[in-house]
Amino acid sequence: MPDISLTIVVVLCLASLAAGWIDAVVGGGGLLLLPAMLLGLPGGTPAAYALGTNKAVAIVGTTGAAVTYARKAPVDVRLAVRIGLAALAGSTAGAFVAAGLSTDVLKPVVMVVLLGVGTFVMLRPAFGTAPLAEPVSARRVLAAIGLAGLGIGFYDGLIGPGTGTFLVLALTALLHFDLVTASATAKIVNCCTNAGALATFAWKGTVYWQLAAVMAVFNLVGGTVGAHTALKKGSGFVRVVLLTVVFALVANLAYQQWIA
């Protein structure tokens, strides 16, 4: 465990709690947790340790949220795992490409897409408020595996921020899920991608396991409470959180691109 003060550990644990809640409701908890890790670890610590420890923390909260959703929401676990395995393959490919590509070129494109998505959700109040009455066609399932699995998984490996939010949006649009079911499915998909990433970081030895274990307890509580909140409040509440996270993500990417 790195030599950091008790105050910093407490701050990181509180950030982990809040990130777990946000991630369970609509994705995007990494927007809070990863910057907190980068700032909280001692100066000169390689970024890989922040990324690896972040994944070790996030997978616990994501799993807790996924279990909570699977017990109480109408989630097709088999479909979610199929999309998750495709996302795992996509994220692996994205990580290889990222090694030789500047993501600064792609960030403005992602910002434009997010702004378009946020505007669409604002102008379509019914988006994600009720599931489709008829069964989902095989073509839509294949499209979800391709776009939400391989496509967004590739983005996760290449850039990363907002992956959970993109998953929720894609699953809602492609499979006509309500936002609660989309969030539930996205958590299972995230478990698959987080597991693959964590295995890579663990193999490279870039995880502070003791710090991760402490933070993971708070992330688990946040994730479980967030899932219960989304189930209780419904799709209207998730929609508000979704829009907040989308525009926060745009601001975060803009800051990284032009200010930081």
Side-chain angles (χ1 to χ4, degrees):
M1 185 166 171
D3 184 18
I4 56 178
S5 68
L6 178 60
T7 301
I8 296 297
V9 172
V10 171
V11 170
L12 289 176
C13 287
L14 292 176
S16 183
L17 178 71
W21 187 90
I22 294 169
D23 209 44
V25 175
V26 76
L31 291 173
L32 174 62
L33 187 55
L34 185 56
M37 292 288 299
L38 291 169
L39 291 172
L41 292 178
T45 301
Y49 282 89
L51 294 168
T53 306
N54 173 65
K55 284 298 181 184
V57 173
I59 195 172
V60 176
T62 299
T63 302
V67 170
T68 302
Y69 275 125
R71 288 177 174 174
K72 298 189 177 183
V75 184
D76 187 335
V77 176
R78 291 181 62 186
L79 173 59
V81 171
R82 288 164 65 190
I83 297 172
L85 292 175
L88 177 59
S91 64
T92 302
F96 277 108
V97 174
L101 179 69
S102 173
T103 57
D104 290 339
V105 178
L106 298 178
K107 286 179 182 177
V109 177
V110 175
M111 281 185 275
V112 171
V113 172
L114 279 169
L115 285 172
V117 166
T119 302
F120 173 82
V121 174
M122 288 179 67
L123 296 177
R124 295 285 298 273
F127 180 76
T129 57
L132 187 67
E134 61 192 47
V136 179
S137 67
R139 290 180 62 184
R140 286 188 175 274
V141 171
L142 288 174
I145 292 173
L147 178 60
L150 287 172
I152 297 177
F154 183 84
Y155 168 81
D156 190 23
L158 188 66
I159 302 178
T163 297
T165 306
F166 275 127
L167 281 171
V168 172
L169 291 165
L171 293 170
T172 303
L174 292 171
L175 301 178
H176 294 295
F177 287 164
D178 62 82
L179 287 171
V180 172
T181 303
S183 291
T185 306
K187 291 307 101 192
I188 298 174
V189 175
N190 269 348
C191 285
C192 296
T193 56
N194 283 344
L198 178 58
T200 301
F201 286 119
W203 178 67
K204 292 182 177 180
T206 56
V207 180
Y208 288 130
W209 292 107
Q210 289 177 299
L211 177 61
V214 175
M215 294 175 62
V217 174
F218 288 82
N219 197 253
L220 176 61
V221 172
T224 304
V225 172
H228 280 293
T229 303
L231 289 165
K232 182 179 179 180
K233 298 288 187 179
S235 294
F237 172 78
V238 175
R239 181 175 180 272
V240 173
V241 179
L242 173 65
L243 287 170
T244 302
V245 171
V246 164
F247 290 113
L249 179 57
V250 171
N252 177 271
L253 289 173
Y255 175 81
Q256 291 180 8
Q257 182 73 13
W258 293 300
I259 300 176

